[in-house]
Amino acid sequence: MHDESLSTSVTQHLFNDDDMYRRHFIPCQQHMRKNPKDTNRVMELVDNVCMKFSKANNVPYPSITPEVKKQVAVNVYQEMIDDEAHRSRK
């Protein structure tokens, strides 16, 4: 799988899996509102979603490279930023 499509697939897996979204993304997003410079929490979320994605789709975990993980983290940050911008408009 191409790195860009793999990162998109992993990101979509996070937002399509209700359990991952509710139990991992929402608490991470709330933590990031209070501690915006704490990147460890987002990277932990990315590692968890990559592991779950690899198990669910029979993709070897080592094939998810650090570059893919960084892109997934960027996608997660972007989603958090978009959500904050959407909230501020209300």
Side-chain angles (χ1 to χ4, degrees), residues 29 33 79-89:
Q29 184 178 31
R33 283 185 192 137
E79 184 64 32
M80 289 179 184
I81 290 168
D82 291 346
D83 187 52
E84 287 299 313
H86 180 70
R87 285 176 187 259
S88 67
R89 281 187 241 143

Side-chain angles (χ1 to χ4, degrees), residues 1-9 63-65 67-68 71:
M1 218 181 241
H2 188 267
D3 281 356
E4 189 173 313
S5 64
L6 182 59
S7 66
T8 302
S9 296
S63 69
I64 302 175
T65 63
E67 291 79 23
V68 171
Q71 185 58 47

